[in-house]
Amino acid sequence: MDGKAYSKEILEQIKIKVCNMQKKPSIAVILVGNNPASQIYVNNKEKTARELGFVSKTYHLKENTNANELKDLILNLNSDKNTDAILLQLPLPKHLVSQDFIELIDPKKDVDGFHPINCGKLMTNSNPYAISCTPKGIIKLLKKYNVKIDGANAVVIGRSNMVGKPLAQLLLNENATVTVAHSKTKNLSAIAHGADILISATGIKGLVTKDFVKSGAVVVDVGIFRDEDGKINGDVEFEEVSKIASLITPVPGGIGPMTIAMLMENTLELSLNNAKF
Ligand code: GUN
């Protein structure tokens, strides 16, 4: 499943919509500290946002920022009429508790859908202001390839607040029978083998081998990390698994670009919603 090609289509459509908007959607990205991976993500997000005609502003705070400084910035952005969407890049430095700050973001500006109001709305299937970008992108890509989710046995490996949990909820809302596996799960390969749709979001390189995959299953790889020699890998042993799976996402070029596209879609949706008030 080619997430790169599909995300390009989605971004082109967003760009056309933004062209016709008088007030452009605006996103504020908060980056605290010097995590190199976070800096790359934030730069990519900002570049894409600008290409679409969004207003994008990054607030780069120093590593030793204290809780009050971060709190003040979030509250200021909440009340700023020119900010539609707020993204707090995670992880935060160790002395700051992520959840405390996620809960300060106005749910109507919570572009990641991480605020408990938005998680609760997802759980009750009642129109969250935004849905977590990676899970949303996964469902969208599955639908693009006409994967039948209704009634499917879906196995999600990983239970993070960012991916595993919201993804399980979305799959359930689409009438899948959902199993969430994690680091304490017994007989993981046997459970994974029962999946019609197998989604791995662990960050463990090569975890999913051919023994995990039923013939004809759909496999989604959410893992992404760089080798010592610079090669980008995922959770799935692509070579052997692609011979068994009916559909599979590559890394890179699968879920990564879909996540960015969904971030842009969420920003646009929040700005259209905020314009009503
Ligand atoms: N860090 C890694 N992925 C993400 C994401 O999707 N959102 C935020 N806010 N931080 C991240």
Side-chain angles (χ1 to χ4, degrees):
M1 287 177 278
D2 188 345
K4 194 170 170 189
Y6 187 34
S7 66
K8 224 171 139 190
E9 261 179 55
I10 295 168
L11 293 177
E12 274 161 16
Q13 284 163 10
I14 294 174
K15 195 169 177 174
I16 293 166
K17 284 189 189 141
V18 173
C19 243
N20 296 320
M21 290 168 77
Q22 241 175 10
K23 187 169 180 291
K24 306 301 181 194
S26 69
I27 178 166
V29 177
I30 306 173
L31 172 63
V32 188
N34 302 311
N35 180 318
S38 289
Q39 287 186 12
I40 295 170
Y41 289 142
V42 166
N43 287 342
N44 284 339
K45 288 168 191 171
E46 180 153 55
K47 186 167 161 273
T48 310
R50 293 241 163 100
E51 281 166 5
L52 298 185
F54 290 4
V55 177
S56 172
K57 187 157 184 195
T58 299
Y59 295 83
H60 193 171
L61 307 184
K62 54 192 189 312
E63 182 82 22
N64 64 356
T65 295
N66 70 40
N68 280 330
E69 288 170 302
L70 182 54
K71 179 179 174 185
D72 286 347
L73 174 58
I74 293 171
L75 296 182
N76 279 333
L77 292 170
N78 281 348
S79 53
D80 175 18
K81 293 231 165 359
N82 291 319
T83 300
D84 295 310
I86 302 171
L87 183 143
L88 176 62
Q89 182 66 32
L90 301 175
L92 293 175
K94 284 203 175 61
H95 65 283
L96 300 169
V97 179
S98 302
Q99 196 62 22
D100 292 350
F101 299 97
I102 288 168
E103 293 187 16
L104 287 176
I105 298 172
D106 179 343
K108 289 191 169 72
K109 297 189 176 189
D110 168 34
V111 72
D112 275 311
F114 291 165
H115 190 286
I117 292 272
N118 285 320
C119 298
K121 282 175 169 286
L122 177 63
M123 177 166 256
T124 50
N125 206 0
S126 55
N127 302 317
Y129 298 108
I131 295 171
S132 181
C133 301
T134 301
K136 189 182 181 195
I138 292 169
I139 299 290
K140 200 139 176 158
L141 191 61
L142 291 173
K143 288 187 173 174
K144 173 77 175 173
Y145 281 83
N146 295 317
V147 173
K148 192 166 183 288
I149 304 174
D150 196 311
N153 289 329
V155 175
V156 178
I157 312 178
R159 56 171 157 179
S160 67
N161 289 344
M162 267 192 230
V163 181
K165 284 188 220 169
L167 177 60
Q169 206 58 63
L170 281 172
L171 289 163
L172 199 53
N173 292 349
E174 296 285 340
N175 300 321
T177 301
V178 184
T179 304
V180 182
H182 48 79
S183 54
K184 305 281 186 197
T185 297
K186 291 178 189 146
N187 303 323
L188 180 59
S189 63
I191 289 171
H193 207 271
D196 304 312
I197 303 171
L198 176 62
I199 302 164
S200 187
T202 68
I204 302 170
K205 183 184 163 191
L207 173 74
V208 177
T209 60
K210 63 181 185 332
D211 302 331
F212 280 51
V213 180
K214 181 171 71 178
S215 175
V218 173
V219 178
V220 176
D221 190 349
V222 189
I224 183 155
F225 23 81
R226 209 176 273 274
D227 268 358
E228 306 80 55
D229 54 5
K231 188 174 178 295
I232 293 175
N233 290 291
D235 289 359
V236 178
E237 286 290 354
F238 186 88
E239 278 304 312
E240 59 183 56
V241 173
S242 59
K243 293 190 181 100
I244 307 170
S246 59
L247 288 167
I248 184 167
T249 58
V251 177
I255 297 308
M258 289 302 295
T259 298
I260 297 261
M262 292 304 98
L263 177 66
M264 300 302 138
E265 187 175 279
N266 282 357
T267 305
L268 174 62
E269 285 172 1
L270 291 181
S271 85
L272 292 171
N273 186 52
N274 289 341
K276 288 189 213 147
F277 297 100

